[in-house]
Amino acid sequence: MINQESLVIRFDGLEAEAHEIDLFALGASLQGLARIAGTAGTFALTQKYSKYFIAHDVKVLAKEAKANCFSMSLAWTFVQQHQILAGSFGAIAVPLVGYIMAYNANKREEMKLLKEALETAIHQLGNRDQAVISRLLDTVDRMSIDLRASVKQVVSPLGKSAKTVTIYSPANSLSTTLNEDDAEVINQNEDDEITETKDLVVLITELDLKLGSCKVTIGDSKSNQRINAVITDPLLRNVNNIYSLAFAAGERIAVKAKLQMNDGEITKIYISDIGI
């Protein structure tokens, strides 16, 4: 058992605050994480990408659930004996799990830091040839794309039983946290398209000043369809900004935004500025 290289998956918010979680969603989440962690662990041992569980060189075992919100520990075990430098397994497997999650959530700054950690760890295994290291890092990106369905499973409780999921290792400071907005990015269909910037009039019906996430209705007062949106305008950080004032007053506001569309339907709105 590699206890020092264990992972923890922790859910916070909503039902998880009461140390409870929907069992169906939890089962899907753990299955997704098991496939990601198994693939990452096998890559850490062999520097090879294996898509199939039967060919994995590690098993991912669940340990006891804990009541700090709702969390479970998972640990890797080797299927057979492997010669590997002390500490090198976790140095690759842990950031690789985080990178796969961040890649599919399009969290670019986090991706950059995790990929640097992976490159350093691969180099320390004795790989001096930059071409080999680059090939392995390209494999990591291909792995992240292939595991998108598993990442969708991991975030399946978000918005239902929890607001965030955090995956971290007790052995180091690396952690990856995904929220409901990240889950929307992960679950976005490949055939979604983003429009050019448009002028809209919206009514903000929900607003998170910290994250910029909100719900809006478009058009006249007869419209009652609420659409998920995010405000990227830096003005949102100001005290008594126009967005929060309009929300508090229940007044419509003109904005500039891009629309995320799927099959003619608006699935999300990205608000970048105040309109005229």
Side-chain angles (χ1 to χ4, degrees):
M1 181 75 68
I2 314 173
N3 289 316
Q4 71 273 23
E5 306 298 0
S6 63
L7 280 179
V8 176
I9 181 170
R10 170 172 170 151
F11 297 95
D12 289 273
L14 301 181
E15 293 176 343
E17 292 290 350
H19 318 312
E20 298 175 342
I21 196 166
D22 178 80
L23 188 58
F24 186 83
L26 175 64
S29 185
L30 293 178
Q31 282 190 342
L33 183 57
R35 183 169 294 279
I36 293 167
T39 305
T42 296
F43 181 85
L45 282 177
T46 65
Q47 286 78 67
K48 295 179 181 178
Y49 171 30
S50 174
K51 294 183 180 181
Y52 306 106
F53 263 140
I54 195 170
H56 284 178
D57 283 41
V58 298
K59 288 183 178 179
V60 184
L61 304 180
K63 301 172 72 176
E64 73 279 6
K66 298 181 180 179
N68 53 345
C69 292
F70 191 96
S71 65
M72 291 190 69
S73 297
L74 295 86
W76 284 284
T77 60
F78 293 158
V79 173
Q80 54 189 345
Q81 291 295 325
H82 284 272
Q83 289 186 341
I84 188 167
L85 296 174
S88 61
F89 177 86
I92 295 176
V94 172
L96 180 50
V97 170
Y99 182 83
I100 292 167
M101 301 296 295
Y103 183 100
N104 284 283
N106 199 28
K107 297 168 77 77
R108 295 190 177 277
E109 285 299 317
E110 193 165 334
M111 287 167 57
K112 181 176 181 292
L113 294 173
L114 290 167
K115 202 160 195 177
E116 288 173 354
L118 283 170
E119 183 170 3
T120 298
I122 292 171
H123 182 78
Q124 289 175 347
L125 281 178
N127 293 303
R128 306 299 180 186
D129 189 334
Q130 188 57 45
V132 173
I133 295 175
S134 296
R135 178 178 57 78
L136 290 173
L137 293 175
D138 288 343
T139 300
V140 164
D141 284 343
R142 180 160 56 88
M143 186 188 307
S144 300
I145 294 170
D146 291 345
L147 287 168
R148 185 177 183 85
S150 296
V151 177
K152 288 183 178 182
Q153 286 183 294
V154 174
V155 300
S156 58
L158 300 190
K160 303 169 186 174
S161 281
K163 283 186 171 294
T164 64
V165 58
T166 300
I167 298 170
Y168 65 94
S169 168
N172 57 48
S173 60
L174 292 174
S175 68
T176 299
T177 298
L178 302 178
N179 58 32
E180 293 172 84
D181 289 333
D182 296 321
E184 283 191 23
V185 174
I186 291 166
N187 288 311
Q188 180 178 322
N189 294 324
E190 292 182 0
D191 54 352
D192 281 359
E193 59 180 86
I194 305 296
T195 70
E196 296 297 321
T197 301
K198 296 179 178 291
D199 291 309
L200 301 176
V201 175
V202 300
L203 174 66
I204 302 173
T205 59
E206 290 183 24
L207 177 61
D208 185 322
L209 288 171
K210 183 177 181 181
L211 298 175
S213 58
C214 58
K215 290 184 183 292
V216 304
T217 61
I218 300 176
D220 60 37
S221 58
K222 295 179 182 178
S223 173
N224 57 9
Q225 180 188 9
R226 298 203 308 163
I227 302 171
N228 289 325
V230 61
I231 300 171
T232 60
D233 187 349
L235 285 177
L236 186 66
R237 302 190 188 99
N238 295 346
V239 177
N240 293 328
N241 63 80
I242 192 168
Y243 301 103
S244 58
L245 291 174
F247 168 60
E251 296 177 347
R252 294 181 179 270
I253 184 175
V255 299
K256 293 186 179 296
K258 292 184 178 182
L259 309 180
Q260 179 178 304
M261 307 288 295
N262 182 271
D263 195 25
E265 296 290 330
I266 301 172
T267 56
K268 192 165 184 178
I269 299 173
Y270 297 88
I271 299 171
S272 59
D273 203 353
I274 298 299
I276 298 175

